[in-house]
Amino acid sequence: MNRRQFLQATTAVLVLCAGQAYADPLADAKAVVDKYATPVTKWDGPTTGPKAQAGKTIVVLAGDLKNGGILGVSNGVEEAAKAIGWEVKVLDGAGSIGGRTAAFGQAIALQPAGIIIDGFDAVEQAPALEQAKAAKIPLVAWHAGPTIGPDEKNGLFANVSTDAMEVSKAAADWAFADAKGKPGVIIFTDSTYAIAIAKADRMKQEIERLGGKVLEYVDTPIAETSQRMPQLTTSLLQKYGDSWTHSLAINDLYFDFMGPSLASAGKSGTDAPINVAAGDGSQSAYERIRAGQFQKVTVAEPLNLQGWQLVDELNRAFAGEKWSGYLSPLHVVTADNIQSDGGPKNAFDPDNSYKDEYKKIWGK
């Protein structure tokens, strides 16, 4: 075989291999879903770290406690703070920039040992971040931007999250597999948040990569879903009809207010459009999935565990150590597996002994 023949043969093999890699996108999508739908029983987080730093008072700045994800994390922080021996005060930003600005000002006035930003973009509160930095108050966060871990630009010791891009990919893959490779998808997001846009873009990319169709990309504020979603749902049904097979949203809150409009259009709780959320695993989402009422999937985050992680990260900051490096697990929740991993409590709460593991680190 001469050089030219060798190159031709090699190219043919590469093309064949590439073709095989993408020959069955349906199987690829199902494999991703199966990976994340299995029970989470093994602790893969930190096993070493500083002992509990005593006598701390911390503040949780909640973006909006009406948001199930934010509420779940806040509850986890309160539980972990009790275990480590700290006082905690929760301030509610109530879903508006003005509310969060006022809450941040109140937090700094309290002169806490540390502040937890819970569920809003850190850059929105840049002046307050500078104040906290000047006061030498350590900041940790949940979903405060697309960066996971330390965010020096915004002065965050650590931003805690699952891998949001994997959450988005898993949600899109489930919809693609459920539609047997022919989904017509509408994606719901909120451009107020950088992380929301990143997640929506990832879902769109994945659906189109696999060969599905994105009918529309809808930008509507999370804080206004109760007012906007009923009419928006009706309008989209009129526009797309049966070609709208699946909804993909960056969190569960969008689906809290779609049901009545879908029912008015003659849809049963399990008819298309089938609703799939890329986070966060709220109580109402679990209830809808269990009842078969206008949502089939949430790609849940371990909200309570993440609350414990936030306390652990803040303890590391107080002790002058580095962040733990832990990336918490995600879970594809369906009617088939809803009885495991905390499902009976309407939350993804892994059976991996995370509370005992953190208490060991803290010496509690």
Side-chain angles (χ1 to χ4, degrees), residues 26-354:
L26 202 54
D28 290 348
K30 286 178 179 176
V32 170
V33 170
D34 289 346
K35 173 184 174 183
Y36 292 122
T38 54
V40 178
T41 56
K42 184 179 178 182
W43 174 245
D44 60 351
T47 54
T48 59
K51 298 300 180 189
Q53 305 296 294
K56 304 297 183 182
T57 298
I58 64 170
V59 172
V60 177
L61 288 175
D64 185 357
L65 287 173
K66 295 188 299 293
N67 182 308
I70 291 170
L71 177 62
V73 169
S74 177
N75 290 340
V77 170
E78 290 186 283
E79 185 182 74
K82 185 177 180 181
I84 202 171
W86 296 350
E87 295 292 322
V88 60
K89 184 172 183 61
V90 179
L91 304 177
D92 186 5
S96 72
I97 293 174
R100 292 189 287 269
T101 301
F104 217 139
Q106 187 181 349
I108 291 172
L110 290 169
Q111 298 182 311
I115 292 173
I116 294 173
I117 295 171
D118 182 8
F120 61 92
D121 264 1
V123 292
E124 173 197 288
Q125 299 293 328
L129 293 176
E130 287 299 319
Q131 282 184 277
K133 185 177 178 181
K136 293 183 168 52
I137 300 172
L139 298 166
V140 300
W142 179 79
H143 286 207
T147 301
I148 301 173
D151 183 353
E152 293 179 10
K153 183 180 177 183
N154 291 307
L156 302 180
F157 177 78
N159 182 42
V160 169
S161 177
T162 57
D163 185 337
M165 297 304 96
E166 279 297 293
V167 169
S168 301
K169 184 178 188 295
D173 286 350
W174 190 94
F176 184 83
D178 186 64
K180 296 180 172 56
K182 296 182 179 179
V185 174
I186 294 178
I187 296 172
F188 296 92
T189 190
D190 180 354
S191 61
T192 307
Y193 304 98
I195 186 65
I197 290 298
K199 287 172 72 174
D201 288 348
R202 183 70 183 91
M203 288 190 283
K204 183 175 186 292
Q205 178 191 51
E206 181 68 0
I207 289 290
E208 291 177 343
R209 182 188 76 82
L210 291 167
K213 185 175 183 180
V214 175
L215 301 173
E216 194 163 329
Y217 186 104
V218 180
D219 180 4
T220 188
I222 293 171
E224 298 175 19
T225 49
S226 60
Q227 304 102 287
R228 292 182 178 230
M229 287 306 292
Q231 181 54 48
L232 183 56
T233 302
T234 300
S235 299
L236 290 168
L237 278 172
Q238 291 170 347
K239 184 175 181 180
Y240 293 108
D242 291 341
S243 61
W244 178 12
T245 69
H246 290 76
S247 311
L248 287 169
I250 55 97
N251 75 12
D252 299 298
L253 203 60
Y254 288 96
F255 303 141
D256 284 357
F257 307 101
M258 285 182 75
S261 297
L262 293 171
S264 294
K267 303 284 186 180
S268 79
T270 55
D271 287 341
I274 290 163
N275 294 329
V276 181
D280 299 312
S282 68
Q283 178 175 336
S284 57
Y286 269 80
E287 289 170 350
R288 282 192 293 272
I289 292 167
R290 185 178 286 105
Q293 289 296 306
F294 304 109
Q295 185 169 354
K296 283 198 175 179
V297 175
T298 183
V299 184
E301 297 196 55
L303 304 172
N304 201 73
L305 184 160
Q306 288 171 328
W308 281 69
Q309 183 183 352
L310 286 163
V311 168
D312 183 65
E313 301 297 357
L314 209 44
N315 193 56
R316 291 168 191 269
F318 294 151
E321 298 196 13
K322 293 181 179 180
W323 89 294
S324 70
Y326 181 45
L327 200 63
S328 50
L330 57 99
H331 192 46
V332 174
V333 180
T334 68
D336 292 334
N337 68 3
I338 201 167
Q339 290 308 313
S340 66
D341 285 301
K345 296 183 289 183
N346 292 323
F348 170 40
D349 198 25
D351 295 321
N352 61 359
S353 303
Y354 66 88

